[in-house]
């Protein structure tokens, strides 16, 4: 057995960004079904804040981070789909992606095409796969649909916007500032609503001639969700897939009948990409759209891995747009 020493971000307790520590970690050889990945870039996502703050529980002390890209350095017994030297990317549990290198389950690792850079690969997996299942599986968006998508200028939002336009949908997006509105418009958002200044329910009804939308995607949570329900047309669906403003209060299900027999779902990537038979076609779809240029991954911020604390401060302070990565 050989051992290497590498750098990683670890947390011993939950709390503010400062609980994250940049420390030395010793790695051995990968076990059966595992790979050792030398990482080239790591993705930063809002879910990382949920784990760091304790909103999502995990064993402590532990790692943090859900996605990265790199090169396979070693493979354990039984690993067939990747080999030493392969370019790879991944998104999913276990946490621990904020690292120069890590040993991890091979099941969630996919080959990264040569046409996609490591930085793009690290910044697109969690958000891109999330958009893939939201628009193809949670609700199958069709050409001609009008869709409401909150936080359209964020990392998930910009990918979703481009994907929706490639499908042929009309996109109503909400943003929190004029700068973010301009960014969304530059990516082709059909209708941009400044939700802090405008009543987005009223605007959605105006845009749709009173009908509402067949599907609304909401990762903001507490501050928007009840109003989001009012934007959905009868028998439509509200998809809540994040809680940036806090948890949604308990929902009285009879409201769904009074608002028009609505459907509500709370999906996660972990269940939609539960095994390789699900993950592989999702990844192929995502990579194909990126390579064709239908989706451009906008890496707007880069931080050194050692500066993860500042990266989290900026993300929580809503100072970021598009995609953010950490460089080990």
């Amino acid at each position: 057995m050989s051992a290497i020493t590498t750098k990683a971000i670890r947390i011993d307790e939950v709390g503010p960004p400062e609980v994250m520590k940049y420390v030395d970690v010793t790695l051995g050889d990968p076990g059966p079904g595992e790979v050792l990945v030398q990482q080239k870039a790591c993705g930063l996502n809002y879910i990382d804040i949920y784990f760091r703050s304790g909103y999502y529980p995990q064993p402590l002390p532990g790692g943090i981070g859900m996605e990265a890209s790199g090169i396979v350095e070693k493979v354990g017994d039984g690993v067939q789909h990747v080999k030493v030297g392969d370019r790879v990317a991944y998104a999913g549990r276990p946490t621990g992606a904020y690292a120069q290198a890590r040993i991890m389950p091979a099941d969630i690792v996919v080959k990264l095409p040569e046409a996609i850079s490591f930085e793009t690969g690290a910044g697109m997996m969690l958000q891109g796969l999330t958009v893939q299942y939201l628009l193809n599986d949670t609700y199958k968006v069709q050409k001609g649909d009008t869709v409401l998508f909150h936080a359209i200028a964020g990392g998930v939002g910009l990918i979703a916007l481009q994907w929706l336009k490639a499908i042929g949908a009309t996109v109503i997006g909400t943003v929190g500032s004029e700068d973010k509105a301009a960014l969304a418009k530059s990516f082709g958002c059909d209708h941009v609503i400044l939700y802090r200044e405008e009543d987005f329910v009223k605007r959605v009804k105006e845009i749709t001639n009173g009908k509402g939308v067949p599907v609304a995607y909401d990762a903001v949570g507490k501050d928007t969700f009840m109003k989001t329900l009012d934007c959905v047309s009868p028998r439509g669906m509200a998809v809540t897939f994040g809680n940036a403003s806090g948890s949604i209060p308990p929902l009285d299900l009879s409201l769904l009948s009074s608002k028009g027999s609505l459907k509500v779902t709370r999906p996660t990537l972990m269940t939609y990409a539960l095994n390789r038979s699900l993950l592989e076609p999702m990844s192929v779809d995502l990579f194909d759209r990126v390579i064709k240029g239908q989706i451009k991954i906008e890496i707007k911020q880069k931080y050194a891995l050692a500066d993860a604390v500042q990266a989290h401060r900026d993300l929580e302070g809503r100072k970021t747009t598009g995609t953010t990565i950490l460089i080990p």
Side-chain angles (χ1 to χ4, degrees):
M1 176 173 169
S2 57
I4 62 167
T5 300
T6 186
K7 291 282 190 181
I9 299 290
R10 289 284 187 267
I11 53 173
D12 296 325
E13 59 183 343
V14 296
E18 291 73 24
V19 300
M20 296 187 294
K21 306 299 180 189
Y22 187 60
V23 298
D24 288 327
V25 176
T26 300
L27 302 176
D29 291 325
E34 294 181 333
V35 290
L36 171 62
V37 179
Q38 190 70 39
Q39 304 200 139
K40 299 296 186 181
C42 317
L44 178 75
N45 295 281
Y46 218 92
I47 194 173
D48 302 343
I49 291 170
Y50 298 158
F51 279 107
R52 191 209 73 220
S53 65
Y55 183 80
Y56 285 178
Q58 69 168 348
L60 293 176
I64 189 166
M66 300 285 284
E67 69 176 343
S69 65
I71 296 172
V72 176
E73 293 255 313
K74 297 179 183 178
V75 299
D77 291 343
V79 176
Q80 305 269 316
H81 64 281
V82 291
K83 64 184 185 304
V84 172
D86 280 350
R87 304 171 80 252
V88 294
Y90 65 86
R93 293 193 193 190
T95 56
Y98 291 10
Q100 291 176 339
R102 70 182 294 209
I103 292 171
M104 57 186 304
D107 273 357
I108 67 168
V109 172
V110 296
K111 289 182 182 177
L112 184 66
E114 291 287 345
I116 299 175
S117 73
F118 285 117
E119 292 191 359
T120 299
M124 68 186 268
M125 291 298 291
L126 193 82
Q127 295 169 347
L129 291 173
T130 296
V131 171
Q132 200 282 338
Y133 81 72
L134 287 175
L135 305 188
N136 289 280
D137 201 340
T138 303
Y139 182 95
K140 181 71 173 172
V141 178
Q142 306 286 342
K143 184 177 181 179
D145 282 345
T146 298
V147 172
L148 172 63
F149 209 105
H150 288 298
I152 200 69
V156 173
L158 286 181
I159 296 172
L161 172 55
Q162 296 172 81
W163 205 308
L164 286 163
K165 296 312 296 178
I167 291 170
T170 297
V171 184
I172 305 171
T174 69
V175 296
S177 70
E178 291 285 359
D179 286 350
K180 291 182 177 181
L183 182 63
K185 287 173 185 171
S186 75
F187 275 81
C189 192
D190 299 282
H191 306 277
V192 182
I193 302 171
L194 286 152
Y195 73 90
R196 291 192 178 105
E197 299 171 22
E198 302 175 84
D199 179 343
F200 70 80
V201 178
K202 183 180 175 185
R203 285 287 293 121
V204 168
K205 290 295 177 67
E206 287 171 357
I207 292 163
T208 60
N209 296 316
K211 293 177 185 174
V213 294
V215 63
Y217 295 98
D218 189 335
V220 177
K222 178 171 66 73
D223 290 353
T224 55
F225 189 70
M226 295 310 293
K227 287 186 173 182
T228 296
L229 293 178
D230 292 329
C231 297
V232 180
S233 57
R235 295 171 61 186
M237 178 182 286
V239 183
T240 167
F241 66 102
N243 314 283
S245 66
S247 296
I248 298 166
L251 182 66
D252 178 357
L253 294 181
S254 64
L255 271 175
L256 302 180
S257 62
S258 65
K259 291 181 184 293
S261 302
L262 303 185
K263 296 181 278 289
V264 171
T265 183
R266 178 59 172 92
T268 70
L269 176 60
M270 310 322 152
T271 43
Y272 276 80
L274 188 60
N275 54 48
R276 291 205 66 77
S277 65
L278 297 169
L279 174 61
E280 286 285 0
M282 291 170 66
S283 301
V284 168
D285 188 13
L286 173 61
F287 294 155
D288 188 50
R289 289 177 184 272
V290 171
I291 291 168
K292 285 178 177 174
Q294 289 182 356
I295 296 168
K296 293 181 175 63
I297 307 300
E298 285 288 301
I299 298 173
K300 293 289 192 177
Q301 298 83 210
K302 295 181 190 179
Y303 299 82
L305 180 60
D307 295 331
V309 169
Q310 187 60 48
H312 272 231
R313 287 181 189 139
D314 291 348
L315 183 60
E316 283 186 287
R318 303 196 181 188
K319 294 177 181 176
T320 64
T321 58
T323 296
T324 305
I325 61 172
L326 306 172
I327 304 299

